[in-house]
Amino acid sequence: MMHETHPTEEARLVRHRLMQPDMEVEIWNYGGIINDVRVKDRTGKLESVVLGFDTLAAYKKHSPYFGAIVGRVAGRIGQACFSIAEQTYHLAANDGTNHLHGGTHGFDQVFFDIIEATEQLLHLRTLSPDGCEGYPGDVTVDVIYRLNGTALTLSIEATTDQTTPLNVTNHTYWNLSGNLQRDILDHQLTLPSSTYLPVGPDLLPTGEFRPVDGTVLDFRNGRSIRSGAESESEETVNAGNGYDHPFVLDEGRAQLIDPVSGRTLQVTTNQPVVVLYTGTQLLTDYTVRGVPSRPSLGLCLETQFHPNAVNESRFPSIFVEPGATYQWETTYRFGVSDVN
């Protein structure tokens, strides 16, 4: 009698490299993870600017969503439930009483199928079945990575056969210092946002919209991450003396600069919100590329819709109907600045 054999997870893992003369990107089909991005500093030195691991085992044991595609719904869903019409859907409560980043087996842990792979493009696909993590509907998700010069563009499209919420993001932790030489506290961020969404002690948005005027959340003219991380303001205490806040974008563009290396990162998106997370919850019991993990080692710019929109009538709806196509796109463009 023949026994069916299944490949091990290591055998299923594909590490694909996108290559340009001034930039290299490594993407895994596991979680759609951006495992590495290497770009030049102002002296021409090519170094890594993201947090990532070398092994699948390390991702499965330690990773706080390093580089991964997150969904079906990014961020927190209050009390791990939502309703459509008269039906309530119960999700995994994997963050206290709340549901976080798609649950215990979200897109970050899926082995995506490879549809196309070249030196400038990678096309991944997965089917999230009806009932997965408690969500309704069969959802087909396509993720396309394109490298053009020093610009990496991620495009995500999804369709469903039942009404279901979708709010996907990429969860890369950036550190422009190069090979994690320094933390991100002295990175300078410019964020075109006049309004943010306050969060409570559980980091769930309260449902309010507040102006950034006069707070350490005003990045419109640029400011250092340190200015908020070392503040004792009400706005940052809940985030662990740093940032874990959704910002409503006035325009879909942000810029991050490391003054020492000169590296710059410009983020453009079709999404209405960016969640700035400055790694305040990073643990210290593992290493990242040989560097001890610690808070503020990296930061995320998670482009998406408003977190917990399924339970907050003041936020735009994230429900997608059959026949409609969910579309998410974000471009990460790298450069250098001469100003030190």
Side-chain angles (χ1 to χ4, degrees), residues 237-248:
V237 167
N238 284 338
N241 293 104
Y243 296 99
D244 196 351
H245 295 79
F247 291 81
V248 181

Side-chain angles (χ1 to χ4, degrees), residues 64-65 74-76 95 100-101 171 173 184 189 191 196-206 216-217 219 225 228-229 234-247 273-282 298-302 304 307:
Y65 306 96
R76 292 165 176 82
D95 185 62
L100 176 65
H101 288 335
H171 210 283
Y173 287 69
I184 49 81
L189 177 65
L191 196 60
Y196 76 101
L197 308 178
V199 296
D202 61 356
L203 299 175
L204 196 71
T206 64
V216 293
L217 288 92
F219 288 93
I225 300 302
E234 174 191 353
E235 290 87 3
T236 57
V237 167
N238 284 338
N241 293 104
Y243 296 99
D244 196 351
H245 295 79
F247 291 81
V273 166
V274 60
V275 175
L276 169 63
Y277 171 52
T278 56
T280 56
Q281 298 181 60
L282 286 175
L299 66 80
C300 303
L301 294 165
E302 305 165 47
Q304 59 186 267

Side-chain angles (χ1 to χ4, degrees), residues 7-236:
T8 65
E9 289 192 331
E10 286 288 351
R12 296 175 65 190
L13 177 64
V14 176
R15 309 169 187 232
H16 182 73
R17 296 187 74 83
L18 304 180
M19 305 286 291
Q20 287 284 355
D22 295 322
M23 183 171 170
E24 301 173 1
V25 180
E26 183 178 282
I27 301 162
W28 293 10
N29 65 327
Y30 176 76
I33 288 171
I34 298 176
N35 180 64
D36 200 9
V37 175
R38 297 173 62 81
V39 296
K40 293 180 178 179
D41 67 2
R42 66 163 61 93
T43 70
K45 183 181 293 185
L46 193 72
E47 294 175 309
S48 177
V49 294
V50 303
L51 276 62
F53 295 115
D54 295 327
T55 67
L56 179 60
Y59 274 106
K60 294 178 76 68
K61 183 176 181 180
H62 297 298
S63 180
Y65 306 96
F66 283 164
I69 300 299
V70 169
R72 295 184 187 187
V73 174
R76 292 165 176 82
I77 293 178
Q79 300 305 305
C81 68
F82 64 90
S83 297
I84 299 176
E86 301 300 319
Q87 184 170 351
T88 297
Y89 294 88
H90 296 277
L91 312 173
N94 61 324
D95 185 62
T97 60
N98 300 322
H99 176 83
L100 176 65
H101 288 335
T104 56
H105 193 77
F107 295 159
D108 62 295
Q109 297 178 53
V110 166
F111 280 94
F112 285 78
D113 297 322
I114 297 176
I115 306 302
E116 182 180 0
T118 71
E119 283 195 349
Q120 284 78 46
L121 180 144
L122 178 65
H123 180 181
L124 303 178
R125 177 178 295 162
T126 191
L127 171 65
S128 178
D130 179 34
C132 183
E133 295 298 301
Y135 291 99
D138 288 334
V139 173
T140 300
V141 182
D142 286 88
V143 185
I144 298 176
Y145 308 75
R146 294 183 177 89
L147 184 60
N148 182 12
T150 57
L152 175 65
T153 298
L154 272 67
S155 302
I156 301 175
E157 291 192 351
T159 56
T160 178
D161 63 358
Q162 295 182 47
T163 300
T164 197
L166 288 171
N167 187 18
V168 180
T169 195
N170 175 263
H171 210 283
T172 295
Y173 287 69
W174 305 102
N175 182 325
L176 302 184
S177 68
N179 295 343
L180 307 182
Q181 297 174 59
R182 298 175 300 279
D183 60 33
I184 49 81
L185 290 174
D186 291 316
H187 282 33
Q188 303 283 323
L189 177 65
T190 303
L191 196 60
S193 171
S194 56
T195 306
Y196 76 101
L197 308 178
V199 296
D202 61 356
L203 299 175
L204 196 71
T206 64
E208 303 170 77
F209 292 82
R210 283 187 193 169
V212 300
D213 303 80
T215 74
V216 293
L217 288 92
D218 190 351
F219 288 93
R220 289 174 293 183
N221 296 313
R223 71 185 307 138
S224 71
I225 300 302
R226 185 181 299 278
S227 64
E230 295 185 350
S231 166
E232 295 183 358
S233 68
E234 174 191 353
E235 290 87 3
T236 57

